Amino acid sequence: MAHPAPEPVHPSDRQELLASLAEGILGLARELTLFAPADPEAVRLTATEIHVMRQILRDPGCMPKEAARGASLQRSNFSVALRGLRAKGLVAAEPDPADGRSLRLWPTERAAWNHAHFRRTWAALLDAALDPALDVAACAEVLGRMEAQVAARRRRGPVPPGQAGARVVS
């Protein structure tokens, strides 16, 4: 059976749909961060700690300045989150071999276990919530591309009025 052609989306309808998509992404992210795994060994993190930990896991051995920039945090907010992560045993700070005055940040074994545990928990939650026929790989690719493009746009500065719908070309 042929499907009828979709009706054209008017710009205002598209903007409304995109805003709803963004709200849904934010809501889902919040739900995932609030979900407590059953394992009492799992260490729950604040949203800021998640961003910092994500950066350190992506770039082990990074310097605090690099991690703060990568997590898009001001130095003071980054420092608070880093202290929390170190207190929870998830991040080790070691002197830089090239310059003993600088530190390098490393995820601990506990951080790797915690990250893997939460990833399994999140995967199970999403697996139960999604249609089994959904192309999850395509969804993950689209979300990754959206994150990269929005981050690149943010780094260039605020979106001028009237340009909120401007397309990013990559």
Side-chain angles (χ1 to χ4, degrees):
M1 176 172 141
H3 295 283
E7 292 194 15
V9 176
H10 301 314
S12 60
D13 294 339
R14 179 177 171 79
Q15 295 306 306
E16 186 60 34
L17 289 170
L18 290 169
S20 293
L21 176 62
E23 284 185 345
I25 291 168
L26 291 170
L28 176 59
R30 175 84 172 137
E31 288 301 323
L32 291 173
T33 60
L34 290 174
F35 197 87
D39 192 323
E41 295 295 316
V43 180
R44 293 199 45 197
L45 304 177
T46 67
T48 303
E49 288 172 336
I50 289 170
H51 290 297
V52 172
M53 194 74 249
R54 191 174 178 217
Q55 185 61 36
I56 294 169
L57 286 163
R58 285 181 174 174
D59 188 15
C62 60
M63 298 178 88
K65 180 179 175 181
E66 297 164 343
R69 189 176 336 112
S72 300
L73 292 171
Q74 291 181 0
R75 197 73 175 145
S76 59
N77 294 339
F78 175 81
S79 294
V80 169
L82 181 59
R83 270 194 304 277
L85 291 168
R86 290 181 72 185
K88 293 173 182 178
L90 300 175
V91 173
E94 299 175 2
D96 184 344
D99 178 0
R101 297 170 297 168
S102 300
L103 292 177
R104 296 282 176 176
L105 304 175
W106 299 93
T108 63
E109 286 183 27
R110 184 172 190 194
W113 178 89
N114 202 62
H115 183 67
H117 184 69
F118 271 91
R119 285 179 57 88
R120 285 190 302 274
T121 300
W122 295 335
L125 286 167
L126 292 179
D127 193 37
L130 297 174
D131 180 332
L134 181 67
D135 185 348
V136 177
C139 291
E141 192 270 328
V142 167
L143 283 172
R145 198 170 60 237
M146 286 173 25
E147 179 186 11
Q149 289 182 358
V150 169
R153 179 63 188 95
R154 176 186 44 77
R155 286 189 290 273
R156 289 194 305 268
V159 177
Q163 291 189 11
R167 297 188 60 80
V168 175
V169 179
S170 61

Short mmCIF file of all heavy atoms in Angstrom, two decimals, residues 93-127:
data_model
loop_
_atom_site.label_atom_id
_atom_site.label_comp_id
_atom_site.label_asym_id
_atom_site.label_seq_id
_atom_site.Cartn_x
_atom_site.Cartn_y
_atom_site.Cartn_z
N ALA A 93 44.19 12.63 39.92
CA ALA A 93 44.98 13.74 39.38
C ALA A 93 46.44 13.45 39.69
O ALA A 93 46.81 13.26 40.84
CB ALA A 93 44.53 15.05 40.01
N GLU A 94 47.24 13.39 38.64
CA GLU A 94 48.66 13.09 38.80
C GLU A 94 49.50 14.21 38.19
O GLU A 94 49.06 14.83 37.21
CB GLU A 94 48.99 11.76 38.11
CG GLU A 94 48.23 10.58 38.69
CD GLU A 94 48.46 9.30 37.91
OE1 GLU A 94 49.24 9.31 36.94
OE2 GLU A 94 47.86 8.29 38.29
N PRO A 95 50.67 14.44 38.75
CA PRO A 95 51.54 15.48 38.17
C PRO A 95 51.88 15.15 36.72
O PRO A 95 52.10 14.00 36.35
CB PRO A 95 52.79 15.45 39.04
CG PRO A 95 52.37 14.75 40.30
CD PRO A 95 51.27 13.82 39.93
N ASP A 96 51.94 16.19 35.92
CA ASP A 96 52.34 16.05 34.52
C ASP A 96 53.83 15.72 34.49
O ASP A 96 54.63 16.45 35.05
CB ASP A 96 52.06 17.36 33.79
CG ASP A 96 52.36 17.29 32.31
OD1 ASP A 96 53.05 16.35 31.86
OD2 ASP A 96 51.90 18.19 31.59
N PRO A 97 54.23 14.60 33.86
CA PRO A 97 55.65 14.25 33.81
C PRO A 97 56.52 15.33 33.16
O PRO A 97 57.68 15.49 33.50
CB PRO A 97 55.70 12.96 32.99
CG PRO A 97 54.30 12.49 32.85
CD PRO A 97 53.39 13.63 33.17
N ALA A 98 55.93 16.09 32.22
CA ALA A 98 56.69 17.12 31.52
C ALA A 98 56.79 18.41 32.34
O ALA A 98 57.71 19.19 32.13
CB ALA A 98 56.06 17.41 30.17
N ASP A 99 55.84 18.62 33.24
CA ASP A 99 55.83 19.84 34.04
C ASP A 99 55.16 19.51 35.37
O ASP A 99 53.93 19.46 35.46
CB ASP A 99 55.07 20.95 33.31
CG ASP A 99 54.96 22.24 34.11
OD1 ASP A 99 55.48 22.29 35.25
OD2 ASP A 99 54.35 23.19 33.61
N GLY A 100 55.94 19.27 36.39
CA GLY A 100 55.43 18.84 37.69
C GLY A 100 54.46 19.80 38.34
O GLY A 100 53.76 19.44 39.28
N ARG A 101 54.37 21.04 37.83
CA ARG A 101 53.42 22.00 38.41
C ARG A 101 52.01 21.77 37.88
O ARG A 101 51.05 22.24 38.46
CB ARG A 101 53.86 23.43 38.08
CG ARG A 101 55.21 23.80 38.67
CD ARG A 101 55.68 25.12 38.13
NE ARG A 101 55.88 24.97 36.68
CZ ARG A 101 56.07 25.97 35.82
NH1 ARG A 101 56.08 27.20 36.25
NH2 ARG A 101 56.25 25.74 34.54
N SER A 102 51.88 21.08 36.76
CA SER A 102 50.58 20.83 36.14
C SER A 102 50.07 19.45 36.51
O SER A 102 50.85 18.55 36.83
CB SER A 102 50.70 20.92 34.62
OG SER A 102 51.14 22.18 34.23
N LEU A 103 48.76 19.29 36.42
CA LEU A 103 48.13 18.00 36.71
C LEU A 103 47.56 17.40 35.44
O LEU A 103 47.15 18.11 34.52
CB LEU A 103 47.00 18.17 37.73
CG LEU A 103 47.38 18.56 39.14
CD1 LEU A 103 46.12 18.77 39.98
CD2 LEU A 103 48.27 17.50 39.77
N ARG A 104 47.49 16.11 35.44
CA ARG A 104 46.81 15.34 34.40
C ARG A 104 45.68 14.57 35.08
O ARG A 104 45.86 14.05 36.19
CB ARG A 104 47.76 14.35 33.71
CG ARG A 104 48.88 15.01 32.95
CD ARG A 104 48.38 15.51 31.64
NE ARG A 104 49.40 16.23 30.89
CZ ARG A 104 49.18 16.68 29.67
NH1 ARG A 104 48.03 16.50 29.08
NH2 ARG A 104 50.12 17.34 29.04
N LEU A 105 44.53 14.53 34.44
CA LEU A 105 43.35 13.87 35.01
C LEU A 105 43.12 12.52 34.35
O LEU A 105 43.13 12.42 33.12
CB LEU A 105 42.12 14.76 34.83
CG LEU A 105 42.24 16.17 35.40
CD1 LEU A 105 41.01 17.00 35.06
CD2 LEU A 105 42.47 16.12 36.90
N TRP A 106 42.91 11.53 35.19
CA TRP A 106 42.73 10.16 34.71
C TRP A 106 41.47 9.55 35.32
O TRP A 106 41.24 9.69 36.53
CB TRP A 106 43.93 9.30 35.09
CG TRP A 106 45.21 9.78 34.50
CD1 TRP A 106 46.11 10.64 35.07
CD2 TRP A 106 45.72 9.47 33.21
NE1 TRP A 106 47.15 10.87 34.21
CE2 TRP A 106 46.94 10.16 33.06
CE3 TRP A 106 45.27 8.66 32.17
CZ2 TRP A 106 47.71 10.08 31.92
CZ3 TRP A 106 46.04 8.57 31.03
CH2 TRP A 106 47.24 9.27 30.90
N PRO A 107 40.67 8.86 34.51
CA PRO A 107 39.55 8.12 35.10
C PRO A 107 40.11 6.92 35.86
O PRO A 107 41.07 6.29 35.43
CB PRO A 107 38.73 7.68 33.89
CG PRO A 107 39.68 7.71 32.74
CD PRO A 107 40.74 8.73 33.07
N THR A 108 39.53 6.62 36.99
CA THR A 108 39.96 5.46 37.77
C THR A 108 39.25 4.21 37.27
O THR A 108 38.33 4.28 36.45
CB THR A 108 39.63 5.66 39.26
OG1 THR A 108 38.20 5.74 39.39
CG2 THR A 108 40.29 6.93 39.82
N GLU A 109 39.69 3.06 37.78
CA GLU A 109 38.99 1.81 37.44
C GLU A 109 37.54 1.89 37.89
O GLU A 109 36.64 1.39 37.20
CB GLU A 109 39.69 0.62 38.09
CG GLU A 109 40.99 0.24 37.42
CD GLU A 109 41.62 -1.00 38.04
OE1 GLU A 109 40.89 -1.85 38.59
OE2 GLU A 109 42.85 -1.11 37.96
N ARG A 110 37.32 2.52 39.03
CA ARG A 110 35.94 2.67 39.53
C ARG A 110 35.12 3.51 38.55
O ARG A 110 33.95 3.24 38.32
CB ARG A 110 35.95 3.30 40.91
CG ARG A 110 34.58 3.40 41.53
CD ARG A 110 34.63 3.85 42.96
NE ARG A 110 33.29 3.68 43.53
CZ ARG A 110 32.91 4.21 44.65
NH1 ARG A 110 33.75 4.93 45.37
NH2 ARG A 110 31.69 4.02 45.10
N ALA A 111 35.73 4.54 37.96
CA ALA A 111 35.03 5.37 36.98
C ALA A 111 34.65 4.56 35.75
O ALA A 111 33.53 4.67 35.24
CB ALA A 111 35.90 6.56 36.58
N ALA A 112 35.58 3.73 35.29
CA ALA A 112 35.30 2.89 34.12
C ALA A 112 34.16 1.92 34.41
O ALA A 112 33.26 1.74 33.59
CB ALA A 112 36.56 2.14 33.69
N TRP A 113 34.19 1.31 35.61
CA TRP A 113 33.12 0.40 35.99
C TRP A 113 31.79 1.15 36.09
O TRP A 113 30.77 0.70 35.59
CB TRP A 113 33.43 -0.27 37.34
CG TRP A 113 32.31 -1.16 37.77
CD1 TRP A 113 32.17 -2.48 37.46
CD2 TRP A 113 31.17 -0.80 38.55
NE1 TRP A 113 31.00 -2.97 38.00
CE2 TRP A 113 30.37 -1.96 38.67
CE3 TRP A 113 30.74 0.37 39.15
CZ2 TRP A 113 29.15 -1.96 39.37
CZ3 TRP A 113 29.53 0.37 39.83
CH2 TRP A 113 28.77 -0.78 39.93
N ASN A 114 31.82 2.31 36.74
CA ASN A 114 30.61 3.09 36.94
C ASN A 114 30.02 3.52 35.59
O ASN A 114 28.81 3.41 35.37
CB ASN A 114 30.93 4.33 37.79
CG ASN A 114 29.72 4.89 38.47
OD1 ASN A 114 29.09 4.23 39.30
ND2 ASN A 114 29.39 6.13 38.15
N HIS A 115 30.87 3.98 34.71
CA HIS A 115 30.42 4.42 33.38
C HIS A 115 29.78 3.25 32.62
O HIS A 115 28.70 3.39 32.05
CB HIS A 115 31.61 4.99 32.61
CG HIS A 115 31.27 5.53 31.27
ND1 HIS A 115 30.48 6.64 31.08
CD2 HIS A 115 31.62 5.10 30.02
CE1 HIS A 115 30.35 6.88 29.80
NE2 HIS A 115 31.03 5.96 29.13
N ALA A 116 30.46 2.11 32.63
CA ALA A 116 29.91 0.93 31.94
C ALA A 116 28.59 0.49 32.57
O ALA A 116 27.65 0.10 31.86
CB ALA A 116 30.93 -0.22 31.98
N HIS A 117 28.50 0.56 33.89
CA HIS A 117 27.27 0.17 34.59
C HIS A 117 26.11 1.07 34.19
O HIS A 117 25.01 0.59 33.89
CB HIS A 117 27.50 0.21 36.11
CG HIS A 117 26.33 -0.27 36.89
ND1 HIS A 117 25.94 -1.59 36.89
CD2 HIS A 117 25.44 0.39 37.67
CE1 HIS A 117 24.87 -1.73 37.64
NE2 HIS A 117 24.55 -0.53 38.13
N PHE A 118 26.35 2.39 34.19
CA PHE A 118 25.28 3.31 33.80
C PHE A 118 24.92 3.14 32.33
O PHE A 118 23.75 3.21 31.97
CB PHE A 118 25.65 4.76 34.11
CG PHE A 118 25.24 5.17 35.50
CD1 PHE A 118 26.12 5.03 36.56
CD2 PHE A 118 23.98 5.68 35.75
CE1 PHE A 118 25.74 5.38 37.84
CE2 PHE A 118 23.59 6.04 37.03
CZ PHE A 118 24.48 5.89 38.09
N ARG A 119 25.90 2.90 31.47
CA ARG A 119 25.60 2.68 30.05
C ARG A 119 24.70 1.46 29.86
O ARG A 119 23.76 1.49 29.08
CB ARG A 119 26.88 2.55 29.23
CG ARG A 119 27.59 3.88 29.01
CD ARG A 119 28.88 3.72 28.21
NE ARG A 119 28.69 3.09 26.92
CZ ARG A 119 28.38 3.75 25.80
NH1 ARG A 119 28.23 5.05 25.81
NH2 ARG A 119 28.23 3.09 24.66
N ARG A 120 24.99 0.38 30.62
CA ARG A 120 24.13 -0.81 30.53
C ARG A 120 22.72 -0.49 31.03
O ARG A 120 21.73 -0.92 30.44
CB ARG A 120 24.73 -1.96 31.35
CG ARG A 120 25.91 -2.65 30.71
CD ARG A 120 26.32 -3.92 31.44
NE ARG A 120 26.64 -3.69 32.84
CZ ARG A 120 27.84 -3.33 33.30
NH1 ARG A 120 28.84 -3.15 32.45
NH2 ARG A 120 28.06 -3.16 34.58
N THR A 121 22.64 0.27 32.12
CA THR A 121 21.33 0.64 32.68
C THR A 121 20.56 1.49 31.68
O THR A 121 19.38 1.24 31.41
CB THR A 121 21.51 1.41 34.01
OG1 THR A 121 22.19 0.56 34.94
CG2 THR A 121 20.19 1.84 34.59
N TRP A 122 21.22 2.50 31.11
CA TRP A 122 20.55 3.37 30.14
C TRP A 122 20.13 2.58 28.90
O TRP A 122 19.03 2.78 28.37
CB TRP A 122 21.46 4.51 29.73
CG TRP A 122 21.79 5.46 30.84
CD1 TRP A 122 21.05 5.72 31.97
CD2 TRP A 122 22.95 6.29 30.96
NE1 TRP A 122 21.69 6.65 32.75
CE2 TRP A 122 22.85 7.02 32.16
CE3 TRP A 122 24.06 6.49 30.14
CZ2 TRP A 122 23.81 7.93 32.56
CZ3 TRP A 122 25.03 7.39 30.55
CH2 TRP A 122 24.90 8.10 31.75
N ALA A 123 20.99 1.67 28.45
CA ALA A 123 20.66 0.86 27.27
C ALA A 123 19.41 0.01 27.55
O ALA A 123 18.52 -0.09 26.70
CB ALA A 123 21.83 -0.03 26.89
N ALA A 124 19.33 -0.57 28.73
CA ALA A 124 18.16 -1.39 29.07
C ALA A 124 16.90 -0.53 29.13
O ALA A 124 15.83 -0.95 28.67
CB ALA A 124 18.39 -2.10 30.40
N LEU A 125 17.01 0.65 29.71
CA LEU A 125 15.85 1.56 29.78
C LEU A 125 15.36 1.93 28.39
O LEU A 125 14.15 1.88 28.10
CB LEU A 125 16.21 2.83 30.55
CG LEU A 125 16.36 2.71 32.05
CD1 LEU A 125 17.01 3.97 32.63
CD2 LEU A 125 15.00 2.48 32.69
N LEU A 126 16.28 2.32 27.52
CA LEU A 126 15.88 2.72 26.17
C LEU A 126 15.40 1.54 25.36
O LEU A 126 14.45 1.67 24.58
CB LEU A 126 17.05 3.43 25.47
CG LEU A 126 17.45 4.78 26.05
CD1 LEU A 126 18.62 5.36 25.27
CD2 LEU A 126 16.28 5.75 26.07
N ASP A 127 16.02 0.38 25.54
CA ASP A 127 15.60 -0.81 24.81
C ASP A 127 14.14 -1.16 25.13
O ASP A 127 13.37 -1.50 24.25
CB ASP A 127 16.52 -1.99 25.13
CG ASP A 127 16.33 -3.14 24.18
OD1 ASP A 127 16.11 -2.90 22.97
OD2 ASP A 127 16.41 -4.29 24.64
#
